[in-house]
Amino acid sequence: EAGVVQSPRYKIIEKKQPVAFWCNPISGHNTLYWYRQNLGQGPELLIRYENEEAVDDSQLPKDRFSAERLKGVDSTLKIQPAELGDSAVYLCATRDRYTDTQYFGPGTRLTVL
Amino acid sequence: GDSVTQMEGPVTLSEEAFLTINCTYTATGYPSLFWYVQYPGEGLQLLLKATKADDKGSNKGFEATYRKETTSFHLEKGSVQVSDSAVYFCALIIGGGSQGNLIFGKGTKLSVKP
């Protein structure tokens, strides 16, 4: 079974530029999460989807961050414009409802210069 | 609010040494508890979990017991290997199913020397 796929793995941009991250979940996993992991910290939730509906976006900085999950499968997280403080690893995870376990993708390491 | 506190690293051990990584939590409800591991250059992987008090999670020689009375979930391994070098994250989730969000500790980096 394929795992959670994320792309790109690395991204370097200048501040004020836009950037987008893509996530393809494990087949059949309806719940999808985006996390941000700052250096030396644990992941922190940005947004949670149940199918195509964002059911918890309370931690998403909505002035510059947006996300979508069309058709309840793939998801995209966007930052526009990026700031220096957005440098982090952005992780996508999906949940197996039978084992109630979250599976993480490899992440996208964003560097904002 | 709900939170997880882990012992700070890095932890450096010799091969075959005994490992303990402390984890305590604060939660308003009855959480499920997890240990995730992040090997260099890889994503987070679930190592083990426990869903109720006194449960013991185990995997790959690692163990952790859900202690409600001390609100702890310490990770142990009797004999570590070089390949165990990684960052270990303790986490909890309140209200499982699709309602819960994982809350992570800051992680503990383990380095095992041959």
Side-chain angles (χ1 to χ4, degrees):
Chain A
E1 179 182 272
V4 177
V5 179
Q6 289 188 249
S7 68
R9 292 292 309 275
Y10 305 91
K11 189 73 176 179
I12 301 174
I13 61 172
E14 294 189 347
K15 63 181 180 181
K16 300 185 181 180
Q17 295 300 305
V19 63
F21 315 123
W22 175 79
C23 174
N24 176 244
I26 295 173
S27 178
H29 287 195
N30 298 328
T31 310
L32 183 147
Y33 310 78
W34 283 102
Y35 291 86
R36 177 168 58 189
Q37 185 177 14
N38 293 313
L39 187 64
Q41 304 292 317
E44 295 180 327
L45 181 73
L46 290 173
I47 189 169
R48 183 176 88 232
Y49 280 93
E50 191 64 37
N51 296 307
E52 66 275 11
E53 181 183 0
V55 295
D56 184 352
D57 63 356
S58 57
Q59 302 303 312
L60 189 72
K62 299 182 184 63
D63 56 336
R64 297 183 300 106
F65 285 65
S66 64
E68 61 181 11
R69 192 183 184 197
L70 299 177
K71 301 182 180 179
V73 182
D74 293 0
S75 180
T76 303
L77 177 69
K78 298 177 181 178
I79 308 175
Q80 182 171 11
E83 297 178 352
L84 295 177
D86 296 331
S87 295
V89 176
Y90 291 83
L91 297 166
C92 179
T94 63
R95 188 181 71 90
D96 181 330
R97 65 180 183 269
Y98 298 108
T99 62
D100 198 16
T101 298
Q102 291 188 29
Y103 293 88
F104 285 79
T108 297
R109 181 177 297 278
L110 173 67
T111 302
V112 182
L113 302 176
Chain B
D2 303 326
S3 65
V4 174
T5 302
Q6 291 181 234
M7 64 184 285
E8 294 200 10
V11 174
T12 302
L13 296 173
S14 297
E15 207 165 21
E16 299 184 0
F18 184 85
L19 168 70
T20 299
I21 300 178
N22 291 338
C23 171
T24 57
Y25 67 89
T26 301
T28 53
Y30 298 96
S32 293
L33 301 173
F34 304 81
W35 277 100
Y36 277 82
V37 59
Q38 190 170 36
Y39 297 104
E42 298 184 16
L44 283 161
Q45 302 174 23
L46 178 65
L47 181 59
L48 53 84
K49 69 176 185 180
T51 58
K52 61 183 186 296
D54 299 325
D55 269 2
K56 177 185 284 188
S58 61
N59 186 26
K60 298 182 181 180
F62 290 89
E63 293 183 340
T65 301
Y66 188 140
R67 301 289 188 196
K68 184 179 177 182
E69 63 276 12
T70 54
T71 61
S72 65
F73 193 55
H74 304 322
L75 183 68
E76 296 182 337
K77 187 175 185 182
S79 177
V80 294
Q81 305 301 311
V82 173
S83 58
D84 294 325
S85 297
V87 181
Y88 293 81
F89 292 91
C90 185
L92 66 81
I93 193 166
I94 301 276
S98 62
Q99 305 303 311
N101 296 324
L102 277 170
I103 297 171
F104 287 89
K106 292 185 177 182
T108 303
K109 184 176 182 179
L110 170 67
S111 295
V112 181
K113 306 299 183 185

